[in-house]
Amino acid sequence: MRGLMQDHPLLVSSLIRHAARHHAHARITSVDAEGRVTRTSWPGIEHDAKRLAQALLRRGVRPGVRIATLAWNTAPHLALYYGVSGMGAVLHTVNPRLFPEQIAYILKDAEDTHLFVDPSVLPVLDGVKDQLPPGLRAVVLMGEAAAVPELPVEVLSMDALLAAEDGDVEWPALDEAAASSLCYTSGTTGMPKGVLYSHRSTLLHAMMAVSPDVFGFSARDVAMPVVPMFHVNAWGIPYAAAITGTSLVLPGPRLDPASLHGLFEAEGVTFSAGVPTIWTMLLQWLRAAPARRFTNPPRLVVGGTALPMPVTEGFRREYGVPIVHAWGMTEISPIGSTNSRQAGNADWDEARMLDYSRKQGRPQFGVDFRVRDDAGQEIAHDGVAFGELEVRGPWTARAYFNRATDPAFTDDGWFRTGDVVTVDALGAIEIVDRAKDVIKSGGEWISSITLENLALAHPDVQLAAAIPVRHPKWDERPLLLVVRKPGTDPSAQSILAVLEGHVAKWWMPDRVEFVDSLPLTATGKLWKAELKRLYRDYTLPA
Ligand code: ADP
């Protein structure tokens, strides 16, 4: 017997339709590359999105066609989110910080027909103009541009495209299983692979994301996604905010601490999300002058790489800012787990909770976890045993775009994350390492992340990376690379002393090397593959 409920497809357009109709008073604030602030609203975004849909339709864009963006977090980008997906085309957000070869590769792989570019990103385009895909029909500038490089395709203006339309259309009724957006993994581990989200997966993920233990959005919130809109759809914030009618502050490319703090204060931001690097820099900036405080401390969601405990502690104790540690992946839309309090630790004191905040937390509804060891057996939930995390659910990928098969997908329908984790009695995971980054010493595994996090507890350590180097007896041994905080000169001994007692003796790094900087990927993560390449010939004495 079938239920007797109405059958409405879950469509991205239904989000903007709702927000525009019922949350006209929420503000959408946008900052461009020059720092100019513009203001619009959900109805304003819907009007632009509809005009954009009309313009694209007029240019022959049909459902399923890929439309690329090279842009920051701005209102025009938000209009593209809704206009492109709303009309049934596929929004392909490209990270401007990738190498030109990678940008060229993914534009070609996606077969984009139009490329929308923020004027400040034009120099990037200059670097790929000779490798543009053959099917690319036009580059569309999102705003005024002083100098446009010579390009082998037509160059249009988004403002002009919109100005020619009236926005007087209804959103089409699409199949909810249709593709809505495309995002490439940032290639921390090889060439980027495309993850093709559907309208259905995007909506279900957004409905989960607004819930109290994740973003906890309300109609009174002012959310500022610092995580870029080209990085897994800014973790779904542009969609989630439309569900609850939350105001948005889109900070553009200026993500330095002073600019961000200015926006927190001026716009009354109550919520923000981003990677640890951003918050670490903000914390250092705040500490540099006693007058730097939050009038109303916002809440933060942090993920993308492990969040160092001193950062959580600093924000919480010194500035009253609570941080929720989250874990996710491009392939999981991206939210998989969050570490907010639950019945099992509701009565823990602050010190114990702070220590616990290093964990990535428990899966959210809609995300099924399985952790298996090398032998394929599910591990004990004792917080000690570890294995590879596998995930399945309605917003987890089942394949990569343009790839028939990939070993990341198991025969029985799970996605292998490549993350090595423990699971504790409360069901929280802790990432021990990426399967590719664990240091294999004498057949046993050493967690590079644990060593790095411990090193960061040293007051003079700015950044640390633990990588494997060759050893004649143990195959691999840990080398700790350290960037000192400006104006400090810690000794290797003092750094090792911080680790001592917290890890087994055989986990202790064999050497500490001081470096001026560490290579980061386009998404701001330690670029381990590059480090391993740089230190390929580094050998330790027997
Ligand atoms: P890429 O694979 O290119 O780095 P993703 O953004 O999809 O791009 O990265 C997902 C990976 O980031 C995860 O598999 C995990 O290794 C890491 N990661 C994400 N969140 C956390 C976190 N809170 N703690 C530790 N690692 C994390």
Side-chain angles (χ1 to χ4, degrees):
M1 184 188 273
R2 289 180 63 89
L4 289 173
M5 307 311 283
Q6 299 184 357
D7 198 8
H8 287 277
L10 302 173
L11 299 178
V12 166
S13 57
S14 67
L15 296 172
I16 188 68
R17 190 163 173 270
H18 168 81
R21 278 191 167 187
H22 303 293
H23 295 284
H25 296 284
R27 289 170 294 139
I28 311 287
T29 306
S30 179
V31 187
D32 71 10
E34 266 76 54
R36 285 177 300 213
V37 176
T38 51
R39 295 180 195 283
T40 179
S41 59
W42 287 111
I45 294 293
E46 187 181 41
H47 183 59
D48 285 355
K50 283 189 166 175
R51 291 192 294 160
L52 185 73
Q54 288 174 308
L56 290 175
L57 204 59
R58 206 180 290 285
R59 291 190 51 82
V61 172
R62 294 292 175 263
V65 166
R66 270 81 68 203
I67 307 292
T69 62
L70 270 171
W72 314 111
N73 293 11
T74 62
H77 206 180
L78 188 63
L80 276 152
Y81 261 55
Y82 284 108
V84 172
S85 304
M87 73 174 294
V90 179
L91 181 82
H92 172 208
T93 52
V94 185
N95 181 347
R97 296 203 191 93
L98 292 174
F99 298 117
E101 308 83 73
Q102 287 179 319
I103 293 181
Y105 170 86
I106 63 181
L107 292 177
K108 188 156 166 261
D109 193 59
E111 298 178 90
D112 298 301
T113 64
H114 291 72
L115 173 59
F116 285 74
V117 184
D118 189 283
S120 66
V121 181
L122 281 172
V124 174
L125 201 58
D126 204 28
V128 294
K129 65 170 189 270
D130 299 328
Q131 309 166 63
L132 293 174
L136 189 72
R137 294 188 33 222
V139 164
V140 188
L141 286 176
M142 303 162 70
E144 318 137 28
V148 181
E150 199 64 38
L151 293 171
V153 293
E154 190 183 0
V155 179
L156 303 169
S157 137
M158 181 165 166
D159 288 354
L161 282 182
L162 297 192
E165 308 293 342
D166 60 9
D168 191 12
V169 280
E170 285 303 319
W171 293 113
L174 307 165
D175 176 357
E176 66 175 19
S180 57
S181 67
L182 175 64
C183 184
Y184 281 71
T185 61
S186 42
T188 314
T189 52
M191 259 311 190
K193 299 176 196 174
V195 178
L196 189 61
Y197 309 105
S198 67
H199 286 263
R200 176 186 159 81
S201 72
T202 303
L203 256 80
L204 291 173
H205 177 267
M207 289 164 85
M208 170 277 296
V210 297
S211 63
D213 287 338
V214 188
F215 298 158
F217 277 175
S218 82
R220 279 153 296 131
D221 269 314
V222 180
M224 176 162 72
V226 174
V227 50
M229 288 167 74
F230 54 73
H231 195 199
V232 216
N233 300 322
W235 299 350
I237 293 170
Y239 305 116
I243 291 182
T244 41
T246 295
S247 292
L248 283 177
V249 176
L250 302 168
R254 297 179 170 206
L255 303 180
D256 60 282
S259 302
L260 286 181
H261 185 257
L263 287 172
F264 272 111
E265 289 294 294
E267 303 300 331
V269 172
T270 59
F271 170 95
S272 190
V275 293
T277 331
I278 292 280
W279 307 120
T280 307
M281 289 190 312
L282 179 59
L283 184 61
Q284 281 167 6
W285 180 88
L286 287 167
R287 281 173 171 162
R292 295 175 182 168
R293 324 234 24 118
F294 292 103
T295 310
N296 292 302
R299 15 179 245 285
L300 304 180
V301 169
V302 184
T305 56
L307 173 66
M309 213 271 274
V311 177
T312 318
E313 185 174 18
F315 271 108
R316 171 112 234 170
R317 293 223 162 117
E318 296 161 46
Y319 300 94
V321 172
I323 298 189
V324 168
H325 189 186
W327 169 87
M329 294 183 81
T330 307
E331 290 86 339
I332 310 172
S333 297
I335 299 167
S337 68
T338 65
N339 187 2
S340 32
R341 271 189 201 253
Q342 53 155 304
N345 57 24
D347 59 350
W348 289 11
D349 64 20
E350 181 159 305
R352 193 167 171 202
M353 223 27 231
L354 270 174
D355 181 51
Y356 196 70
S357 70
R358 69 176 191 278
K359 300 201 179 199
Q360 284 76 9
R362 60 187 184 282
Q364 293 304 313
F365 172 77
V367 188
D368 204 359
F369 276 8
R370 171 170 91 176
V371 184
R372 297 191 297 163
D373 62 18
D374 270 354
Q377 295 302 312
E378 291 211 32
I379 62 159
H381 290 190
D382 57 5
V384 179
F386 47 78
E388 185 179 351
L389 174 61
E390 299 174 336
V391 176
R392 66 178 180 188
W395 54 82
T396 296
R398 64 178 154 82
Y400 288 112
F401 182 64
N402 266 347
R403 291 189 187 216
T405 57
D406 191 284
F409 301 99
T410 70
D411 290 339
D412 61 345
W414 292 77
F415 167 68
R416 300 178 55 191
T417 64
D419 283 333
V420 179
V421 305
T422 60
V423 186
D424 68 18
L426 295 181
I429 58 163
E430 178 169 9
I431 306 222
V432 173
D433 222 327
R434 276 206 155 182
K436 290 189 171 66
D437 296 338
V438 284
I439 300 160
K440 298 187 180 104
S441 171
E444 296 287 342
W445 287 10
I446 299 173
S447 154
S448 64
I449 293 180
T450 304
L451 300 181
E452 288 155 10
N453 280 344
L454 285 168
L456 285 172
H458 189 291
D460 300 339
V461 172
Q462 169 122 358
L463 212 55
I467 57 162
V469 289
R470 275 187 297 152
H471 188 278
K473 180 163 174 206
W474 303 111
D475 287 339
E476 292 179 0
R477 289 294 305 157
L479 168 70
L480 189 68
L481 303 168
V482 169
V483 180
R484 308 176 182 94
K485 280 194 186 149
T488 69
D489 188 20
S491 68
Q493 251 71 41
S494 71
I495 292 169
L496 291 174
V498 173
L499 275 67
E500 246 155 47
H502 294 284
V503 293
K505 267 219 166 62
W506 60 273
W507 277 39
M508 292 294 286
D510 285 33
R511 280 283 173 86
V512 177
E513 293 276 357
F514 294 98
V515 291
D516 291 336
S517 64
L518 287 169
L520 299 181
T521 67
T523 47
K525 304 184 190 192
L526 276 177
W527 193 10
K528 291 275 177 83
E530 175 67 1
L531 279 173
K532 283 187 237 177
R533 194 186 63 76
L534 291 171
Y535 286 84
R536 200 173 33 200
D537 297 328
Y538 188 101
T539 35
L540 292 159

